[in-house]
Amino acid sequence: MSIVTVQLGQCGNQIGHEVFNAISSDVHGTHGLCSKKENESYRDACKERFFSEEKSEVPLARAVLIDMEPKVISQTLSIAARSGCWKYDDRSHFCQKQGSGNNWANGYSVHGPRHKEAIMNLVQKEAEKCDRLGGFFTIMSMAGGTGSGLGAFVTQCLRDAFPTSFILNHVIWPYSTGEVIVQNYNSVLTLSHLYQSADALLVHENDVIHKICAQLMNIKQISFRDVNQVIAHQLGSVFQPTYTAEGGLHYSRNPLGDLMETLVPHPEFKMLGLRNIPQMPENSLAYSTFSWPGLIKHLRQMLIANAKMEEGIDWQVRPPRLGSSVPSSHSTNKPLHFNTSIANLVILRGKDTHGVDLGGFRDPSLYTSWLSPQDAFNAWKTPRAFNKYEKSAALVSNSHLISCVTSLIHFPTLTSTHRAYIHQYTKFGIEEEDFLDSFTALEQVISSYTIL
C-alpha cells in the first residue's frame, strides 16, 4: 500500500524533502548487504510505498507540498529535481504570497477555510494515483502558524474526506529556548486539535535532535539541515520495508496500518516516540563494529530510563519487580524515573537479525497492567541493511508521556491569566474559551499517561 505524505509549512517541507532523499539514497545504495533477490523485493516495496513512476523518467514522490509562502516550496522542488534520483510532481504543491505570521489562528481559521478546496483537490489527486492507499503521513512544526494552524485544519479535512484511512502526524517540538514568542500557545492548540483527528502523533524534539548532532554526529556548527537529516534518517529506519512476522515471505504491505495496530491499542494513548541506534558520522562507520546484544542492551535501557540517545543513559534505573509498588508520579519525593510502556515496536535491519534475543523487551514489568507483553511488544526485521549501517535498530514506543508535553501546559496557563498575546488570536476568531478547551483536552491526555 502507498503512503501520501503531506508536507506543511517551512519545517514540514524541508524535513519532507530530507525524508525522500534518505529513502531514495537507501534504495539506490549498493550497501544493502543482502542477496540480489532480497534487495529487489525491498526496492519494489519501497517504491510502491513512497514513489510513483507514471510518465516520468525518475520516480515521483507521493507527496503534496503546502505553504503560505512560495520560497521554501520553490527551493524544495528545485533541489529534488536536480538530484536526478527522484523529484516532486510539479502539479502537487500549493502556496500563496502571504504567510501566517507565526499565528496558529491565522493558519487554522483564515488560510485553512479559504484554501480548503484547492488543497484537498491536490490531496485527492495524489490519493487517486495510488493503486491501494494506506493512509497519510503529515509533517509539520508545532511552533509556527502555517505548519501548526493550517496543519491542524488540513488534518481535520483529511479525517473527514478519508474516514477509513490511517493518519499519522509527525510533529516537530520547538526548541525550549524559544523559536517564536507564542510557540507555547501554538503548540497547545495544535496538539489538542491533532489528538482529535489523527490516529497517532510521532514526536521529535528539536532539543534532542540538536544534542544528537552535537554529541553523536560530532557536528560543530549545527544547521537546520543537519537536524532535519537526523530526523529523516530516524523516520526512514521505521518506514522502509520490513517483515512484520517471523519467517515472513513478503514485506509489509500496509505500513501505517501495521504501525497503528502494533502501537495504539487505545484511542486515549496516541503519542509515539522514536529512538534509533547506532548514530554516528558516515566517515566513522568503516571503523566501527556492532553486536546485536550490545545494541539491544542499550536500546532497552534507553526505553527504561527514558533516554533519547545512547550517550548519557542512566544505567541505575531499573523496572520495578512485579508485585512491588511503583511510586506515584505526584510524589513530593524524587520524581518517577522508570518509563512505563503501553506498547513497543523494535525494528531490526541488517545482518543476522533472525537470531537476535529480544526477551528483555517482553518483560511484563515494562508494561501497563492491562496489556500482556505478547500484545504490547512486537518486532519487525529485515536482513537488508539501512543507509550504510551494517546493523541498526529502531524503537518506536507508546510510553509514559513525553516530558515536554507536561511542561507545555504550565507556561501558557500562567501567561493567559494575564491575557498576554491573546489579542493576536482573537482577531482571527480564536477566543479564550478555545484556549481553555485545548488546555482541558491536554490535561486529560497528561492524566491518562500519568496513571500508567
Side-chain angles (χ1 to χ4, degrees):
M1 285 186 168
S2 302
I3 300 171
V4 173
T5 300
V6 182
Q7 304 175 185
L8 291 140
Q10 176 178 339
C11 174
N13 279 292
Q14 290 176 336
I15 290 176
H17 170 259
E18 296 297 345
V19 169
F20 282 107
N21 239 8
I23 290 169
S24 177
S25 173
D26 178 50
V27 168
H28 290 100
T30 57
H31 44 263
L33 304 177
C34 61
S35 69
K36 182 179 179 180
K37 182 180 178 182
E38 184 74 50
N39 204 41
E40 287 176 351
S41 298
Y42 182 89
R43 288 182 179 185
D44 290 345
C46 174
K47 286 180 178 178
E48 180 195 15
R49 198 169 284 191
F50 294 107
F51 298 98
S52 63
E53 295 183 320
E54 54 174 63
K55 302 176 185 176
S56 175
E57 295 178 2
V58 296
L60 292 176
R62 298 187 188 275
V64 176
L65 291 71
I66 303 167
D67 201 359
M68 290 299 105
E69 295 175 289
K71 182 180 178 182
V72 171
I73 285 185
S74 177
Q75 290 175 341
T76 302
L77 293 172
S78 175
I79 295 169
R82 287 202 305 268
S83 75
C85 297
W86 67 279
K87 66 178 182 178
Y88 291 105
D89 188 333
D90 293 331
R91 299 160 297 177
S92 292
H93 69 273
F94 179 86
C95 59
Q96 294 290 290
K97 301 294 185 185
Q98 184 179 11
S100 302
N102 292 323
N103 190 314
W104 188 92
N106 194 4
Y108 183 84
S109 300
V110 178
H111 290 313
R114 180 180 297 164
H115 304 300
K116 173 183 176 181
E117 184 177 354
I119 291 172
M120 292 308 295
N121 280 341
L122 289 178
V123 173
Q124 183 69 44
K125 288 176 182 176
E126 199 61 44
E128 288 172 357
K129 293 179 188 177
C130 305
D131 291 336
R132 295 177 302 168
L133 176 65
F136 297 92
F137 179 51
T138 70
I139 308 175
M140 65 184 73
S141 166
M142 300 226 303
T146 299
S148 62
L150 184 60
F153 182 85
V154 168
T155 302
Q156 288 180 353
C157 294
L158 289 174
R159 175 52 68 221
D160 293 339
F162 302 91
T164 59
S165 294
F166 294 105
I167 301 174
L168 174 61
N169 283 98
H170 177 242
V171 294
I172 305 299
W173 206 276
Y175 285 101
S176 57
T177 51
E179 297 172 31
V180 296
I181 193 71
V182 291
Q183 69 180 34
N184 290 284
Y185 289 140
N186 292 341
S187 297
V188 166
L189 291 164
T190 304
L191 206 55
S192 62
H193 281 73
L194 292 182
Y195 223 80
Q196 298 173 32
S197 305
D199 292 295
L201 282 71
L202 180 60
V203 180
H204 267 114
E205 300 172 59
N206 270 342
D207 288 326
V208 171
I209 304 301
H210 199 93
K211 282 184 182 178
I212 290 173
C213 288
Q215 298 178 25
L216 299 183
M217 308 301 287
N218 297 326
I219 301 172
K220 302 303 179 189
Q221 294 185 320
I222 300 168
S223 66
F224 276 118
R225 188 175 183 211
D226 295 322
V227 170
N228 293 343
Q229 286 178 338
V230 170
I231 292 172
H233 175 84
Q234 292 198 357
L235 292 174
S237 73
V238 173
F239 288 113
Q240 284 291 65
T242 56
Y243 298 107
T244 55
E246 196 70 46
L249 299 176
H250 302 286
Y251 279 111
S252 162
R253 304 307 293 270
N254 186 8
L256 289 182
D258 290 337
L259 204 66
M260 303 306 171
E261 181 182 0
T262 300
L263 290 165
V264 189
H266 190 285
E268 188 71 25
F269 302 95
K270 300 183 179 183
M271 300 285 287
L272 307 180
L274 172 55
R275 298 168 175 88
N276 186 278
I277 61 171
Q279 291 182 116
M280 61 176 55
E282 187 176 320
N283 56 13
S284 300
L285 286 173
Y287 309 101
S288 306
T289 57
F290 302 98
S291 70
W292 282 121
L295 290 174
I296 297 305
K297 179 181 179 182
H298 277 75
L299 199 59
R300 182 177 185 270
Q301 192 61 26
M302 287 166 69
L303 170 67
I304 291 170
N306 200 21
K308 302 300 193 303
M309 61 182 191
E310 55 194 296
E311 190 165 305
I313 300 173
D314 185 350
W315 290 94
Q316 302 303 311
V317 180
R318 292 283 183 270
R321 283 182 296 228
L322 286 177
S324 65
S325 61
V326 179
S328 167
S329 58
H330 299 293
S331 170
T332 55
N333 301 324
K334 69 176 184 177
L336 176 62
H337 293 298
F338 173 66
N339 187 33
T340 304
S341 296
I342 295 169
N344 289 308
L345 168 65
V346 169
I347 303 170
L348 306 180
R349 300 179 182 274
K351 295 173 64 176
D352 306 322
T353 56
H354 59 278
V356 180
D357 180 9
L358 295 170
F361 283 97
R362 296 186 175 91
D363 181 351
S365 64
L366 299 181
Y367 298 97
T368 182
S369 59
W370 47 269
L371 270 181
S372 70
Q374 288 76 21
D375 297 322
F377 175 71
N378 283 272
W380 298 351
K381 302 175 184 178
T382 174
R384 211 278 190 177
F386 176 66
N387 267 349
K388 302 181 182 177
Y389 286 83
E390 182 184 76
K391 297 183 179 82
S392 63
L395 170 65
V396 193
S397 188
N398 187 342
S399 59
H400 202 274
L401 193 66
I402 299 165
S403 57
C404 51
V405 179
T406 311
S407 63
L408 180 67
I409 287 293
H410 304 300
F411 171 81
T413 304
L414 176 66
T415 52
S416 62
T417 59
H418 298 89
R419 302 175 59 83
Y421 305 106
I422 294 290
H423 66 280
Q424 294 189 17
Y425 294 81
T426 56
K427 68 182 180 182
F428 292 116
I430 298 297
E431 304 296 336
E432 285 190 57
E433 186 176 333
D434 297 307
F435 277 99
L436 292 173
D437 289 344
S438 293
F439 285 128
T440 302
L442 283 195
E443 283 170 347
Q444 177 58 50
V445 174
I446 290 171
S447 174
S448 297
Y449 271 98
T450 300
I451 62 176
L452 284 177

